[in-house]
Amino acid sequence: MLRAPLAPACLLAALLCAGIRAARVNKHKPWIETTYHGIVTENDNTVLLDPPLIALDKDAPLRFAESFEVTVTKEGEICGFKIHGQNVPFEAVVVDKSTGEGMIRSKEKLDCELQKDYTFTIQAYDCGKGPDGASAKKSHKATVHIQVNDVNEYAPVFKEKSYKATVIEGKRYDSILRVEAVDADCSPQFSQICSYEIVTPDVPFAIDKDGYIKNTEKLNYGKEHQYKLTVTAYDCGKKRAAEDVLVKISIKPTCKPGWQGWSKRMEYEPGTGSLALFPNIHLETCDEPVTSVQATVELETNHIGKGCDRDTYSEKSLHRLCGASSGTAELLPPPSNTANWTVGLPTDNGHDSDQVFEFNGTQAVKVPDSVVTVNMKEPFVISVWMRHGPGSREKETILCNSDKTDMNRHHYSLYVHNCRLVFLFRQDPSEGQSYKPAEFHWKLNQVCDKEWHHYVLNVELPAVTLYADGVSFDPFPVTEDYPLHPSRIESQLVVGACWQEYTENGNDTEKATETPPAGGEHRMAQFFRGNLAGLMIRSGKLENKKVIDCLYTCKEGLDLQMAEGASKSLKIQMNPSQSVLTLEGDDIDQFEKAMQHISYLNSRQFPTPGIRRIKITSAVKCSSEEACMAIPFVDGYVMVLQPEEPKISLSGINHFARSASEFEGPEGVSLFPELRIISTITREVEPEGDGDEDPTVQESLVSEEIMHNLDTCEVTVVGEELNQEQETLEVDLVRLQQKGMEISSSNLGVIITGVDTMASYEEVLHLIRYRNWHATALFDRKFRLVCSELNGRYVSNEFKVEVNVIHTANPVDHASHIAAQPQFVQPVHHSFVDLSGHNLANPHPGFSVVPSTATVVIVVCVSFLVFMIILGVFRIRAAHQRTMRDQDSGKENEMDWDDSALTITVNPMETYEDQHSSEEEEEEEEEESEEGEEEDDITSAESESSEEEEGEHEEDQQNVSRHQQLEWDDSTLTY
């Protein structure tokens, strides 16, 4: 009964003892949360965790392991935390071992820009030991996420150093361009750009928070070509960009398709070759998909000369230069002494172009009968330059050959009717009374377009071919008619109208009416209204195509020179006159290069100055094979500058004497034996170095000799006209024809025409001789020589020559004197220009202006002058001596003599004879001195010696006379 109560008590005591023992044994692991989130700032090392880092241990009896300090005596305390991970810049430390509180901090400075978050694991371990004496207990591994908070340490930076954009004027843009800045901070708050700002004030632009710039008003290219803006940026932390950025916005004119990069005015200096017209041209297509381009470049020269710049020699000279056959008759020559039937016609009065005659519907000229002799049976050619506008329905006659009297028949004529060119030719009556082609018609637009055109008619019946501007045309229709009836009536050739019997036709305006000896009244009819030039007619041979092209071809035009292969993708067309150039291609770049190589070329040595207009018309096709845009035409001009005017200088001997026998001889006297013709131009030469630095340095003038042709030299007599019965001017016609020159003579002189070099004209002029069959009545003759170039555009100086005739009383006695006389006197050289400080190099080495004969003339002249001076001095001295002697004799007469015992015997006859002989000797001396003045062959030495002898002889005679007058009769004197 006693053992039952004791058993529970023993069991309780045992349990208590076991519990005490168990409390001192490390049985449990520490406990921590499974996940932690922490935040740390860049400039701090303490991490703020959520939840806080606290480890719990059940081994702690009361306070749940409130101490983490590692001890040997207490169980349930937390001794530390261990971080697991690689390169984790954090460490965990125990703040309170007993409570298990800990913290995480960085071991080094953190940089959010390098790494903004970290993830690792952590474990807590306690300070106790296990029952088996093992190490401390560890908790499970908890995950820790730590985020590094950013500090606004970086300012925004723009991605580009500057921004550019181009806009078209007159448009409002939602966005022109975008500027963008970045921030190196890692957090969204500080790394994001929250706003942009335009710093430049008063500009018509705005920028939004994303950096897009737009214009606030329509922009005007005329007001401003370019805007420069300064833009800055702010991050969300209100930090401003370290450097602002420059934004350039260029204003472009409204895109207009067309050619750009060309100059309206282009200057051409004569003699410089070709001039590139569009070296920088390019085509603006406004980004349209262009598939092909066509452009036509046109050079307008209609106002220059007869449609363009050509050599302005006479038409006859041009025909000769082009190789036309000789025998050409010029129906409208420039008015001259030998061709005066065109004097009354109005002309252009200009030397820069060849002579153009105007016909206003009331004027016409009759051509002399001797000018044209056309054989109807032979081929013949008519060529003319014509400008004719829209006319009336009446006939307008260019050339007409009709009956002079009685009848009203037209043998042949060329006229305009309803803008048709018509040639009428009634064949020879000997051909029989059958129908023959008589009227040939050509319907051409050129006839009435008010432009200059060149027409050539090759007539070789029954065929007649017309060449208009070098292009051949066959007649249509051709009207036949009977040949003319045979008659002996002379015909009249008229230019500008037709000489015919009076009719009531309204176009038959009476300008010159003549009453023929028989038949009806004749007058001019069918007058022409327009301009004509170079009307020529020649029989015997037709013009070939080469000659016709030469007559028509311009000396100026367009040119296109490109490298081989560069123009393969282009189609290039040029008209015969080289005034219109057409290009077509599909490669825009190649097309523009071709346009840049188009040039203007004028091959004349002295081109006609003035404006030549340039026009470009273009057509562009896009992918739709239609014209997708309109390209405005280009309108510019080439200014051909005034060429440096040449100075043609004639020089030589301008005064000489010849004996009368030479003038009467078969060869006559050469008028220009030593003539020289030179031509020079004066150029301005800029000084070396910079003239602005030294204002005293001036431009200098340099004269240069140039070579060019002459086309006319005219020798005219000064004074009375030539008497054809006793005097003439002659030239070697064979030599003249060999050089292709022609000569026309009249009682006023001779005119040599033909285009040739100055040396050839010198040679021909040396051959001109003057003959006079009655030179005994001639004392002198004067002539004037003038040469010109380009139909009178450049005229030389007037070179005058005077020739004297030497007459001899006895040719036998004075033959030696005549032979000794110089042939040339007073050599004169007309120099072209005298520029101080600039000597012209002699272009002809070895040539001397003053020949050896002229040197003798100079010596003789100087000697004669010396002789006259000595003679004058001597005569003055002699007169003075006579005056002194007269005074002495007067004094002697005044002396009072005591002659009471003096007897003087005087022979009056002897005194009279002596005085009379003395007076005769003085008169003879005076006559001899006057004769000596007239004689040119007395040398100065002979003159001086003879004068001294005469003076001595005169003094001796005077002394003798005086001695005889003063003889004394001293027979009664007493000494």
Side-chain angles (χ1 to χ4, degrees):
M1 297 295 297
L2 292 173
R3 291 183 179 179
L6 291 175
C10 292
L11 180 59
L12 180 59
L15 288 172
L16 291 172
C17 292
I20 294 171
R21 192 185 302 112
R24 297 180 180 177
V25 177
N26 191 11
K27 294 171 58 178
H28 300 91
K29 297 179 180 180
W31 176 89
I32 56 177
E33 298 286 346
T34 58
T35 303
Y36 293 91
H37 294 275
I39 297 176
V40 63
T41 307
E42 284 182 317
N43 56 3
D44 195 2
N45 62 350
T46 302
V47 179
L48 298 178
L49 289 176
D50 182 26
L53 181 58
I54 298 176
L56 300 178
D57 196 334
K58 291 183 179 181
D59 291 328
L62 297 177
R63 296 183 297 171
F64 299 97
E66 58 181 317
S67 176
F68 285 89
E69 185 178 355
V70 180
T71 60
V72 184
T73 59
K74 295 183 178 180
E75 293 82 2
E77 294 181 350
I78 300 301
C79 282
F81 297 93
K82 185 176 182 181
I83 293 177
H84 299 275
Q86 189 175 4
N87 298 325
V88 178
F90 294 96
E91 61 179 358
V93 297
V94 178
V95 178
D96 190 344
K97 292 181 178 181
S98 59
T99 59
E101 182 181 358
M103 63 177 295
I104 298 175
R105 60 187 180 187
S106 61
K107 296 186 296 183
E108 57 189 35
K109 186 177 180 181
L110 301 177
D111 192 347
C112 179
E113 288 71 33
L114 296 178
Q115 188 171 349
K116 63 174 65 176
D117 55 31
Y118 296 89
T119 300
F120 52 87
T121 58
I122 189 173
Q123 278 184 314
Y125 58 92
D126 57 17
C127 299
K129 293 182 180 180
D132 52 358
S135 59
K137 297 288 185 179
K138 297 179 180 180
S139 67
H140 61 275
K141 293 181 178 179
T143 301
V144 180
H145 300 281
I146 297 179
Q147 179 181 347
V148 181
N149 277 354
D150 187 23
V151 175
N152 196 6
E153 56 183 335
Y154 293 100
V157 176
F158 286 94
K159 288 185 176 182
E160 304 290 340
K161 292 183 178 180
S162 63
Y163 293 87
K164 295 180 180 180
T166 301
V167 296
I168 299 176
E169 65 174 347
K171 293 180 63 177
R172 292 284 294 267
Y173 290 85
D174 294 334
S175 175
I176 297 175
L177 78 160
R178 183 189 182 190
V179 297
E180 188 175 1
V182 295
D183 197 313
D185 292 315
C186 64
S187 63
Q189 179 182 5
F190 300 133
S191 63
Q192 291 183 358
I193 306 301
C194 283
S195 63
Y196 293 90
E197 180 182 350
I198 297 176
V199 180
T200 305
D202 301 329
V203 289
F205 298 95
I207 190 170
D208 61 12
K209 63 182 183 63
D210 295 324
Y212 290 99
I213 298 177
K214 65 179 181 180
N215 56 322
T216 58
E217 62 185 42
K218 293 182 179 180
L219 304 177
N220 189 349
Y221 177 80
K223 181 179 179 181
E224 195 74 40
H225 292 359
Q226 187 184 66
Y227 288 92
K228 295 181 179 180
L229 314 177
T230 302
V231 178
T232 190
Y234 293 91
D235 60 17
C236 293
K238 300 299 183 181
K239 192 162 190 174
R240 182 173 175 171
E243 293 183 2
D244 299 337
V245 71
L246 178 64
V247 179
K248 296 180 181 179
I249 300 178
S250 299
I251 312 303
K252 187 177 181 180
T254 303
C255 185
K256 298 178 181 179
W259 294 103
Q260 298 181 0
W262 55 275
S263 300
K264 187 175 183 62
R265 174 188 171 100
M266 296 150 282
E267 292 186 353
Y268 179 79
E269 184 176 354
T272 57
S274 59
L275 170 67
L277 298 177
F278 320 108
N280 300 314
I281 197 170
H282 69 276
L283 182 61
E284 176 61 54
T285 60
C286 295
D287 299 329
E288 291 287 342
V290 176
T291 57
S292 66
V293 182
Q294 180 181 2
T296 300
V297 184
E298 183 178 0
L299 176 67
E300 297 181 0
T301 59
N302 296 333
H303 61 290
I304 302 296
K306 297 189 297 293
C308 66
D309 208 2
R310 296 180 175 89
D311 285 331
T312 56
Y313 297 117
S314 66
E315 197 67 23
K316 185 178 291 187
S317 298
L318 290 175
H319 277 248
R320 190 180 300 112
L321 289 175
C322 290
S325 302
S326 59
T328 302
E330 193 170 5
L331 305 186
L332 289 176
S336 63
N337 297 326
T338 59
N340 57 2
W341 64 86
T342 59
V343 172
L345 289 178
T347 65
D348 62 346
N349 295 324
H351 291 311
D352 288 344
S353 62
D354 46 356
Q355 200 142 27
V356 173
F357 295 92
E358 180 182 355
F359 295 84
N360 58 10
T362 62
Q363 295 163 322
V365 293
K366 294 181 179 180
V367 180
D369 297 337
S370 60
V371 175
V372 179
T373 57
V374 177
N375 189 346
M376 300 293 184
K377 297 182 180 180
E378 293 183 356
F380 63 93
V381 177
I382 299 175
S383 66
V384 65
W385 285 93
M386 182 178 71
R387 179 170 60 186
H388 180 263
S392 62
R393 295 183 178 181
E394 301 170 352
K395 291 183 179 180
E396 299 180 43
T397 302
I398 301 170
L399 175 68
C400 179
N401 182 273
S402 59
D403 288 335
K404 184 177 292 186
T405 59
D406 296 333
M407 304 184 71
N408 194 27
R409 300 177 304 172
H410 293 185
H411 297 263
Y412 62 88
S413 66
L414 181 66
Y415 60 91
V416 175
H417 188 206
N418 290 333
C419 292
R420 293 174 180 265
L421 189 65
V422 183
F423 177 65
L424 169 68
F425 186 84
R426 303 291 297 276
Q427 297 190 31
D428 196 302
S430 62
E431 297 295 332
Q433 298 298 324
S434 60
Y435 276 104
K436 298 289 184 181
E439 281 192 0
F440 305 85
H441 297 250
W442 292 271
K443 178 65 175 179
L444 300 175
N445 296 328
Q446 294 92 320
V447 175
C448 294
D449 63 357
K450 293 185 179 181
E451 301 292 345
W452 279 106
H453 297 283
H454 184 241
Y455 301 92
V456 176
L457 273 175
N458 275 344
V459 181
E460 188 175 16
L461 296 176
V464 179
T465 304
L466 172 67
Y467 290 88
D469 297 337
V471 180
S472 63
F473 296 91
D474 293 327
F476 181 82
V478 176
T479 305
E480 295 182 346
D481 200 352
Y482 284 106
L484 295 176
H485 298 288
S487 69
R488 296 183 180 180
I489 301 175
E490 295 182 354
S491 61
Q492 175 66 60
L493 183 61
V494 178
V495 177
C498 198
W499 181 252
Q500 65 182 33
E501 187 177 355
Y502 173 73
T503 63
E504 295 296 334
N505 194 325
N507 194 29
D508 298 345
T509 304
E510 180 177 357
K511 183 65 179 180
T513 303
E514 294 182 3
T515 302
E521 183 181 4
H522 281 62
R523 65 179 63 191
M524 297 291 183
Q526 300 175 6
F527 284 90
F528 179 76
R529 295 176 179 86
N531 297 96
L532 298 176
L535 180 58
M536 312 284 289
I537 187 169
R538 185 184 70 253
S539 61
K541 186 179 180 181
L542 299 180
E543 295 285 21
N544 57 43
K545 185 65 166 57
K546 183 178 180 181
V547 174
I548 295 174
D549 291 339
C550 176
L551 293 173
Y552 171 72
T553 302
C554 298
K555 294 294 184 179
E556 64 179 343
L558 300 174
D559 189 24
L560 177 58
Q561 296 292 337
M562 295 186 65
E564 296 183 2
S567 59
K568 289 184 177 180
S569 61
L570 300 175
K571 294 181 181 179
I572 303 175
Q573 293 180 350
M574 181 85 76
N575 69 334
S577 61
Q578 293 185 321
S579 61
V580 179
L581 174 63
T582 302
L583 301 176
E584 185 176 357
D586 52 8
D587 189 335
I588 302 297
D589 294 336
Q590 291 295 329
F591 196 92
E592 289 180 350
K593 289 181 180 179
M595 292 290 293
Q596 293 170 2
H597 283 81
I598 296 177
S599 60
Y600 168 79
L601 179 63
N602 195 317
S603 59
R604 291 191 64 192
Q605 186 177 12
F606 305 108
T608 303
I611 292 176
R612 277 76 163 164
R613 296 201 173 276
I614 298 290
K615 186 177 180 180
I616 303 177
T617 55
S618 308
V620 176
K621 292 183 179 180
C622 297
S623 56
S624 60
E625 296 297 329
E626 296 180 358
C628 56
M629 65 181 71
I631 304 297
F633 66 87
V634 172
D635 189 9
Y637 63 92
V638 176
M639 173 59 73
V640 178
L641 302 180
Q642 179 75 35
E644 296 178 352
E645 183 174 350
K647 301 294 183 181
I648 306 173
S649 176
L650 309 179
S651 61
I653 298 173
N654 68 345
H655 191 188
F656 57 89
R658 294 288 189 275
S659 64
S661 60
E662 293 188 40
F663 286 93
E664 296 174 352
E667 295 185 357
V669 175
S670 177
L671 292 181
F672 313 105
E674 297 185 15
L675 178 69
R676 290 285 293 112
I677 305 176
I678 62 173
S679 181
T680 53
I681 58 175
T682 303
R683 299 181 184 274
E684 292 185 359
V685 179
E686 297 183 357
E688 297 181 357
D690 190 358
D692 298 337
E693 297 179 358
D694 188 1
T696 61
V697 177
Q698 299 180 354
E699 293 183 349
S700 58
L701 300 179
V702 175
S703 184
E704 299 178 1
E705 182 175 355
I706 61 173
M707 302 302 296
H708 58 79
N709 294 329
L710 297 177
D711 58 1
T712 304
C713 278
E714 183 175 2
V715 181
T716 55
V717 62
V718 179
E720 296 182 0
E721 297 180 358
L722 293 175
N723 187 353
Q724 302 293 339
E725 297 181 357
Q726 67 179 22
E727 58 182 344
T728 182
L729 290 174
E730 298 179 351
V731 68
D732 190 345
L733 296 179
V734 176
R735 297 285 297 276
L736 204 66
Q737 292 176 356
Q738 290 176 353
K739 294 185 175 296
M741 298 182 184
E742 296 183 359
I743 186 171
S744 58
S745 60
S746 66
N747 56 355
L748 298 178
V750 296
I751 300 176
I752 301 174
T753 58
V755 181
D756 213 326
T757 63
M758 293 184 290
S760 295
Y761 266 91
E762 280 185 7
E763 183 179 349
V764 171
L765 291 173
H766 289 168
L767 303 176
I768 294 181
R769 296 181 175 274
Y770 170 69
R771 290 185 62 198
N772 193 307
W773 300 278
H774 302 284
T776 55
L778 181 68
F779 292 98
D780 58 33
R781 249 322 191 179
K782 297 179 181 179
F783 300 90
R784 177 173 59 245
L785 172 64
V786 176
C787 295
S788 63
E789 160 73 335
L790 293 175
N791 206 18
R793 181 177 176 184
Y794 300 116
V795 183
S796 71
N797 61 305
E798 289 188 356
F799 179 68
K800 295 182 179 180
V801 173
E802 180 180 353
V803 292
N804 298 111
V805 182
I806 300 175
H807 299 281
T808 57
N810 189 349
V812 177
D813 296 340
H814 299 281
S816 61
H817 296 285
I818 295 175
Q821 286 185 2
Q823 295 183 353
F824 304 98
V825 294
Q826 299 184 13
V828 176
H829 177 68
H830 297 278
S831 60
F832 159 59
V833 65
D834 184 13
L835 304 174
S836 63
H838 301 280
N839 297 325
L840 299 180
N842 189 353
H844 304 277
F847 174 77
S848 177
V849 176
V850 181
S852 58
T853 307
T855 306
V856 176
V857 174
I858 294 176
V859 173
V860 173
C861 292
V862 174
S863 302
F864 181 75
L865 180 62
V866 172
F867 159 71
M868 293 300 296
I869 294 175
I870 295 175
L871 178 62
V873 172
F874 176 78
R875 297 188 67 175
I876 293 173
R877 186 178 65 180
H880 179 69
Q881 290 178 355
R882 286 196 297 270
T883 303
M884 295 300 295
R885 285 195 299 270
D886 292 341
Q887 293 178 358
D888 293 342
S889 62
K891 291 180 180 179
E892 291 176 358
N893 294 331
E894 293 175 0
M895 293 178 63
D896 295 332
W897 293 89
D898 186 7
D899 53 357
S900 58
L902 182 63
T903 300
I904 300 176
T905 302
V906 178
N907 188 351
M909 295 302 296
E910 181 181 1
T911 303
Y912 172 78
E913 292 175 357
D914 293 341
Q915 291 178 351
H916 184 69
S917 61
S918 176
E919 291 175 357
E920 289 179 351
E921 290 176 355
E922 290 180 358
E923 291 177 358
E924 290 178 356
E925 290 174 359
E926 291 178 357
E927 292 176 358
E928 290 177 356
S929 63
E930 292 175 357
E931 292 177 357
E933 293 176 1
E934 297 176 356
E935 294 292 338
D936 295 334
D937 56 341
I938 300 177
T939 62
S940 61
E942 293 174 352
S943 300
E944 292 176 0
S945 61
S946 62
E947 186 65 28
E948 290 176 358
E949 292 175 359
E950 291 175 359
E952 292 176 358
H953 181 66
E954 182 180 359
E955 290 180 357
D956 293 341
Q957 289 180 348
Q958 290 177 356
N959 292 334
V960 171
S961 176
R962 186 183 300 168
H963 178 69
Q964 292 177 354
Q965 292 177 2
L966 298 178
E967 281 188 345
W968 294 91
D969 185 7
D970 54 357
S971 59
T972 59
L973 290 178
T974 57
Y975 296 96

